[in-house]
Amino acid sequence: MQGYFQLDTVGHGKRERTRAALLDGAMRVIAAKGMENAKISDITETAGLANGTFYNHFEDKDEILREVAYGIAGEVGRTIDEQMVDIGDARTRVVVATSRFIAMAVKEPEWGAVLIGSVEHMPNVRKDIMQYLHADLELGVEQGVFDIRLDQFLLDQIAALVVVSIRLQMNAGRTSELTVQTCENILRLCGLSPAAASRTVKKAQKQLADPLQTV
Amino acid sequence: MQGYFQLDTVGHGKRERTRAALLDGAMRVIAAKGMENAKISDITETAGLANGTFYNHFEDKDEILREVAYGIAGEVGRTIDEQMVDIGDARTRVVVATSRFIAMAVKEPEWGAVLIGSVEHMPNVRKDIMQYLHADLELGVEQGVFDIRLDQFLLDQIAALVVVSIRLQMNAGRTSELTVQTCENILRLCGLSPAAASRTVKKAQKQLADPLQTV
Amino acid sequence: MQGYFQLDTVGHGKRERTRAALLDGAMRVIAAKGMENAKISDITETAGLANGTFYNHFEDKDEILREVAYGIAGEVGRTIDEQMVDIGDARTRVVVATSRFIAMAVKEPEWGAVLIGSVEHMPNVRKDIMQYLHADLELGVEQGVFDIRLDQFLLDQIAALVVVSIRLQMNAGRTSELTVQTCENILRLCGLSPAAASRTVKKAQKQLADPLQTV
Amino acid sequence: MQGYFQLDTVGHGKRERTRAALLDGAMRVIAAKGMENAKISDITETAGLANGTFYNHFEDKDEILREVAYGIAGEVGRTIDEQMVDIGDARTRVVVATSRFIAMAVKEPEWGAVLIGSVEHMPNVRKDIMQYLHADLELGVEQGVFDIRLDQFLLDQIAALVVVSIRLQMNAGRTSELTVQTCENILRLCGLSPAAASRTVKKAQKQLADPLQTV
DNA sequence: GATGAATGAGTATTCATTCAT
DNA sequence: AATGAATGAATACTCATTCAT
């Protein structure tokens, strides 16, 4: 079973491969039991390694959690960014980014679990993740399409909406309907009227329809 | 130091007072370390009691946490309800309830901690708390002032906005500005235009201005 | 509900009645959970008294257990003794005493539990209980009907047979068959042939048939 | 101090040795305080290990007690069995088995404590231990030398005699005299006359005289 | 570097006993 | 005498971390 982190290590030395196995193990454990309840022994067992091996690669539990979080968050951010290079309208960007983000989290529940855990327990990672959103909101203000006061508080509120959506879909099964509603709500927060929000989301969905490989 | 639960016990027997001391201890510990990390020994120590005393009053840790949660949630709900008996407009009700809720949570950080912990870790209490909101949203739909699909998902999203607001104000200091913004955002979610949301909140603030004793 | 110990206290003072209630409570608890697992709080609760009352009447847990044990053991011994005043044949006496003993223990499971607990955990009480048996065995030797070496060891072995029988009947339901077999085995231990043992038990049963009120 | 379980581990890995140390520790603790009162901390302390080490080797307290019990019971059973392969007479077999059993229990008081604890508190182990006896009683019935009703009750009664014998000898010092008497009593229970019982035991003792290494 | 055994501080819970009312 | 609340020592079990091989 090749996990996400291990994909980066083909051709690398043993050390890297073991390290990646631990990161992947941690990710699976987080998906299974949540970030709070991940035990070192779960992680090493899942990775097929001995207990003590862990400490050859990580200082302590916090470190691996942080690395997993940054790894996934970075990958998600980069992937979404790539897929949006040619989208210029801020409203569309927000919808596409949000949809993508939710889709990745729900399609790969391991990523979803890590993302949720990160947003809730790791402020730094949360800030990191929301950097992308921040840029798009700024763009929307410049384009005159968002009626907002752009500050950390708004970012946190939007993030909370996304987390709620992911969590519900992870538990109750993926529903594009919920994602649509989430996007509409975010646009409403940004000042769009219900009608405009709905219209924007529908239009954006078309752009999303085509190239949808997430991992 | 007289805690919230102890106020109910003047004139009662020793049993009630000790029980209240434990509930207050639990509340303080939750405020200090979060609901997840509250230890029995923390609680008894904070209450100035021996370890074993805890079990003369509560079955186990879950029980006291539940009682604290229901105690605070009930009190908050009742207080807000009382103060809204003569408000008929759903939009105003939502704003007043939200403002009051946030105000109580922030003014008494111990209550805030319990409320946040409850919403995050105790589904039953969460449902209880959101019952009030649900009724007002329904009212707004009947009054034709909200453009929403009223379901659990929307309730969860609104609750998330409130929690974010409380958490931020608990950390960064109380700011009526943030509460205003939170209310506006909720109204936006409900379909009001930015202008209408702002106007509604401003108007509602006047009604809030007068009798503001929270505890 | 009038327990055994309370019967002795009609007309006595309050102190005696409370004390008796505790003894009866202890007896019931022993019957329900065994001597090892009897808790003070069980006893007082069963007696309908407050926790602390216990220590107004007994030094500690051991004391009440001992008193219950001696109380029941004495009563059983005396009752059996009375009913055997006019039985002269040692073999018959052994059979009658054993049958009676088992019958009382099984018919009043509370007594049975106390007796078993005593025999197993309280050497002094055990010795006390077996005094009666000792006398009959001695008699049998004098009468030339027992072929034994009469020592503590033999007494313990016979006691063990009786305990096994009581325990089985308490669990699986009273069976006179088992009592018969137990008596026969004891007689075999005493040197009687299987045929003689069987004959003796049958004959003794007749004497038992008549006045059978045990408690 | 080399315990019984450690003897099996020369040449094995550290894990096995530690595990054996715990088993031996448990055995010593059982000998000192009885199976009921054996605490984990006693066991680890006796084994010279840290508290937590216990749980690297056993699921919980029950597991180690069961393993100790089965270990000793199995060893005792096998040893006795081996030494009786060429004994065909059921009466002799019963005597030899009983004598051996008692001898092993008394000579190694730790074994005795475990065996007694097992018989009293672990029905499965008791059944296991008495299987051997059951077979020999059956044989005796076939051979027409026992006049018994062979059922669980009889097995329990015989077992009780053996336990009494072991317990007394463990407290009062080993006495072959008591063992002889125990065997005679068992044979009496099986229907032999005192004379025949005595004769059988004497004869069997000769066979026992020679190869008497127990552990 | 990997291994995995050992460690021990930490945590919930029980219950006999004390003691103020 | 009775009450019943408070006590705290005792105990099973968890898990991050260390360390010898």
Side-chain angles (χ1 to χ4, degrees):
Chain A
M1 179 166 33
Q2 279 292 73
Y4 163 66
F5 291 100
Q6 286 170 327
L7 288 177
D8 282 348
T9 61
V10 269
H12 288 64
K14 194 187 195 186
R15 181 164 182 79
E16 266 64 37
R17 286 202 312 280
T18 300
R19 187 185 163 80
L22 286 167
L23 288 164
D24 277 325
M27 190 172 66
R28 283 191 212 117
V29 172
I30 291 170
K33 322 174 60 162
M35 203 166 257
E36 298 275 59
N37 304 311
K39 304 177 214 156
I40 300 289
S41 56
D42 291 336
I43 293 172
T44 51
E45 196 180 340
T46 302
L49 292 165
N51 193 350
T53 303
F54 179 88
Y55 291 91
N56 289 332
H57 296 272
F58 301 95
E59 190 71 22
D60 55 22
K61 202 166 77 159
D62 281 349
E63 184 176 311
I64 195 173
L65 294 183
R66 239 178 305 131
E67 297 225 2
V68 169
Y70 274 118
I72 299 299
E75 176 67 13
V76 167
R78 258 173 281 118
T79 303
I80 293 175
D81 236 34
E82 281 171 21
Q83 298 176 333
M84 300 211 304
V85 279
D86 43 1
I87 302 180
D89 178 60
R91 293 164 300 188
T92 309
R93 288 186 68 88
V94 166
V95 172
V96 170
T98 302
S99 301
R100 278 268 173 255
F101 190 87
I102 294 176
M104 291 173 86
V106 175
K107 193 170 173 194
E108 304 282 338
E110 291 167 359
W111 293 33
V114 171
L115 290 170
I116 286 182
S118 304
V119 170
E120 289 189 338
H121 300 295
M122 312 180 79
N124 290 333
V125 183
R126 184 173 61 225
K127 210 161 285 179
D128 221 55
I129 291 177
M130 298 202 299
Q131 208 176 324
Y132 298 98
L133 178 62
H134 187 97
D136 287 334
L137 291 179
E138 223 162 20
L139 182 64
V141 170
E142 286 168 18
Q143 295 178 345
V145 295
F146 288 162
D147 179 2
I148 56 176
R149 168 197 303 215
L150 178 44
D151 52 14
Q152 185 57 41
F153 180 62
L154 179 64
L155 287 171
D156 284 342
Q157 293 224 314
I158 294 176
L161 296 187
V162 173
V163 166
V164 165
S165 190
I166 292 173
R167 210 194 309 262
L168 192 55
Q169 293 192 51
M170 283 179 65
N171 291 339
R174 192 183 177 183
T175 321
S176 73
E177 180 50 44
L178 283 187
T179 300
V180 167
Q181 206 167 330
T182 308
C183 291
E184 287 190 27
N185 283 346
I186 292 173
L187 291 180
R188 286 181 178 199
L189 276 198
C190 291
L192 273 67
S193 69
S198 178
R199 218 181 316 123
T200 305
V201 173
K202 278 211 188 78
K203 216 187 311 176
Q205 293 290 356
K206 287 178 195 161
Q207 258 168 297
L208 280 161
D210 322 311
L212 241 164
Q213 88 291 9
T214 1
V215 174
Chain B
M1 180 165 30
Q2 278 291 74
Y4 163 65
F5 291 99
Q6 286 171 327
L7 287 177
D8 280 349
T9 62
V10 268
H12 286 66
K14 193 186 197 185
R15 182 169 183 79
E16 267 63 39
R17 288 203 310 280
T18 301
R19 187 186 161 81
L22 287 167
L23 287 165
D24 277 324
M27 194 172 65
R28 280 191 215 117
V29 171
I30 291 170
K33 323 174 60 163
M35 202 165 258
E36 296 276 61
N37 302 312
K39 319 285 176 211
I40 301 287
S41 54
D42 292 336
I43 293 173
T44 51
E45 197 179 339
T46 302
L49 293 165
N51 197 320
T53 302
F54 178 87
Y55 293 93
N56 289 337
H57 297 271
F58 300 95
E59 192 74 21
D60 54 19
K61 201 167 69 165
D62 280 350
E63 186 176 308
I64 197 174
L65 294 183
R66 237 179 307 132
E67 297 224 3
V68 170
Y70 274 116
I72 300 299
E75 176 68 13
V76 167
R78 257 174 282 119
T79 303
I80 293 176
D81 238 32
E82 281 172 21
Q83 298 176 333
M84 301 212 305
V85 279
D86 45 359
I87 302 182
D89 179 60
R91 293 162 298 189
T92 310
R93 287 186 70 86
V94 166
V95 172
V96 170
T98 302
S99 301
R100 279 266 173 257
F101 190 88
I102 294 175
M104 291 174 87
V106 175
K107 192 168 171 196
E108 305 282 336
E110 289 165 1
W111 292 32
V114 170
L115 290 170
I116 288 181
S118 305
V119 169
E120 290 188 339
H121 300 296
M122 310 181 79
N124 290 334
V125 183
R126 183 172 63 224
K127 213 162 284 180
D128 224 55
I129 291 177
M130 300 205 300
Q131 211 176 322
Y132 298 99
L133 177 61
H134 186 97
D136 288 333
L137 292 179
E138 226 162 17
L139 182 65
V141 171
E142 286 169 20
Q143 296 179 344
V145 295
F146 289 162
D147 178 2
I148 55 175
R149 168 196 301 215
L150 178 44
D151 53 14
Q152 186 58 44
F153 181 63
L154 180 62
L155 287 170
D156 285 342
Q157 295 223 314
I158 294 175
L161 296 187
V162 174
V163 166
V164 165
S165 189
I166 292 174
R167 210 192 309 259
L168 190 55
Q169 294 192 48
M170 283 179 63
N171 292 338
R174 193 181 176 185
T175 323
S176 73
E177 181 49 45
L178 283 187
T179 301
V180 167
Q181 205 167 333
T182 307
C183 291
E184 287 191 26
N185 283 346
I186 292 174
L187 291 180
R188 287 180 179 199
L189 272 198
C190 291
L192 273 67
S193 70
S198 179
R199 219 180 317 123
T200 304
V201 173
K202 279 211 186 77
K203 216 189 311 174
Q205 294 290 356
K206 287 178 194 162
Q207 256 168 298
L208 282 160
D210 320 313
L212 240 161
Q213 88 291 11
T214 0
V215 173
Chain C
M1 180 166 33
Q2 278 292 73
Y4 162 67
F5 290 99
Q6 286 170 327
L7 288 176
D8 281 348
T9 62
V10 268
H12 287 64
K14 193 186 194 186
R15 180 166 182 80
E16 267 63 37
R17 289 204 308 282
T18 300
R19 187 186 161 81
L22 286 167
L23 288 164
D24 277 324
M27 190 173 67
R28 285 192 210 115
V29 171
I30 290 169
K33 323 174 58 163
M35 202 165 259
E36 297 276 59
N37 303 311
K39 302 177 215 159
I40 300 288
S41 56
D42 290 337
I43 293 172
T44 52
E45 195 181 342
T46 302
L49 291 165
N51 192 351
T53 303
F54 179 87
Y55 291 92
N56 289 331
H57 296 272
F58 301 96
E59 190 72 23
D60 55 21
K61 202 166 77 159
D62 281 349
E63 185 177 310
I64 195 174
L65 294 182
R66 239 178 304 131
E67 297 225 2
V68 169
Y70 274 118
I72 299 299
E75 175 68 12
V76 167
R78 258 174 280 119
T79 303
I80 293 176
D81 237 32
E82 281 172 20
Q83 297 177 332
M84 301 212 304
V85 279
D86 45 359
I87 302 181
D89 178 59
R91 293 163 300 189
T92 308
R93 287 186 69 86
V94 166
V95 172
V96 170
T98 302
S99 300
R100 280 265 173 258
F101 190 87
I102 295 175
M104 292 174 85
V106 175
K107 193 170 172 195
E108 304 282 338
E110 290 167 0
W111 294 31
V114 171
L115 291 170
I116 286 182
S118 305
V119 170
E120 289 188 339
H121 300 295
M122 312 179 79
N124 290 334
V125 183
R126 184 172 63 224
K127 211 162 285 178
D128 220 55
I129 291 176
M130 300 203 299
Q131 208 176 321
Y132 298 97
L133 178 60
H134 187 97
D136 288 333
L137 291 179
E138 223 161 20
L139 182 65
V141 171
E142 286 168 19
Q143 295 178 346
V145 294
F146 289 161
D147 179 3
I148 56 175
R149 167 197 303 215
L150 178 44
D151 52 14
Q152 186 56 43
F153 180 63
L154 180 63
L155 287 170
D156 284 342
Q157 294 224 314
I158 294 176
L161 296 187
V162 173
V163 166
V164 166
S165 190
I166 292 174
R167 210 196 308 264
L168 192 54
Q169 293 191 51
M170 282 180 64
N171 291 339
R174 193 181 176 181
T175 322
S176 73
E177 179 50 44
L178 282 187
T179 300
V180 167
Q181 204 165 332
T182 307
C183 292
E184 287 192 27
N185 283 345
I186 292 174
L187 291 180
R188 287 182 179 197
L189 274 198
C190 291
L192 273 68
S193 71
S198 178
R199 219 181 317 124
T200 305
V201 173
K202 280 213 186 73
K203 216 188 310 172
Q205 294 290 354
K206 286 179 197 161
Q207 257 168 297
L208 280 161
D210 321 312
L212 238 163
Q213 88 292 10
T214 3
V215 174
Chain D
M1 179 167 29
Q2 278 292 75
Y4 163 65
F5 290 99
Q6 287 171 327
L7 288 176
D8 281 347
T9 62
V10 268
H12 287 63
K14 193 186 197 184
R15 181 168 184 80
E16 267 63 38
R17 288 202 311 278
T18 300
R19 186 186 161 82
L22 286 166
L23 287 164
D24 278 324
M27 194 171 66
R28 279 190 216 118
V29 171
I30 291 169
K33 323 175 59 164
M35 202 166 258
E36 297 275 61
N37 303 312
K39 320 285 176 210
I40 301 287
S41 54
D42 292 335
I43 294 173
T44 51
E45 196 179 341
T46 303
L49 293 164
N51 197 317
T53 302
F54 178 87
Y55 294 93
N56 289 336
H57 296 271
F58 301 96
E59 191 73 20
D60 54 21
K61 201 167 70 165
D62 281 349
E63 185 176 308
I64 196 174
L65 294 183
R66 237 179 306 132
E67 295 223 4
V68 169
Y70 274 116
I72 300 299
E75 176 68 13
V76 167
R78 255 173 283 119
T79 304
I80 293 175
D81 237 34
E82 280 172 22
Q83 298 176 333
M84 302 212 304
V85 279
D86 45 358
I87 302 180
D89 179 60
R91 294 163 298 191
T92 310
R93 288 185 69 86
V94 166
V95 173
V96 171
T98 302
S99 303
R100 279 268 173 253
F101 190 87
I102 294 175
M104 291 173 87
V106 175
K107 192 170 171 195
E108 306 281 337
E110 290 165 359
W111 293 32
V114 171
L115 290 169
I116 286 181
S118 304
V119 169
E120 290 188 339
H121 300 296
M122 310 180 79
N124 290 333
V125 182
R126 182 172 64 225
K127 212 161 284 178
D128 222 56
I129 291 176
M130 300 205 299
Q131 212 176 321
Y132 298 100
L133 176 61
H134 187 97
D136 286 334
L137 292 180
E138 224 162 21
L139 182 65
V141 171
E142 286 169 20
Q143 294 178 348
V145 295
F146 288 161
D147 179 2
I148 56 176
R149 167 196 303 212
L150 178 44
D151 51 15
Q152 185 58 43
F153 181 63
L154 180 63
L155 287 171
D156 284 342
Q157 295 224 314
I158 294 176
L161 297 187
V162 174
V163 167
V164 165
S165 189
I166 291 174
R167 212 193 308 259
L168 191 55
Q169 293 192 50
M170 282 179 63
N171 291 338
R174 190 180 177 183
T175 324
S176 74
E177 181 48 46
L178 283 188
T179 300
V180 167
Q181 205 165 332
T182 307
C183 292
E184 286 192 27
N185 282 347
I186 292 173
L187 291 179
R188 287 181 179 200
L189 273 197
C190 291
L192 272 67
S193 70
S198 178
R199 219 181 316 124
T200 305
V201 173
K202 279 213 187 74
K203 215 190 309 174
Q205 293 290 358
K206 286 178 194 160
Q207 256 168 297
L208 280 161
D210 322 311
L212 237 163
Q213 88 292 8
T214 359
V215 172

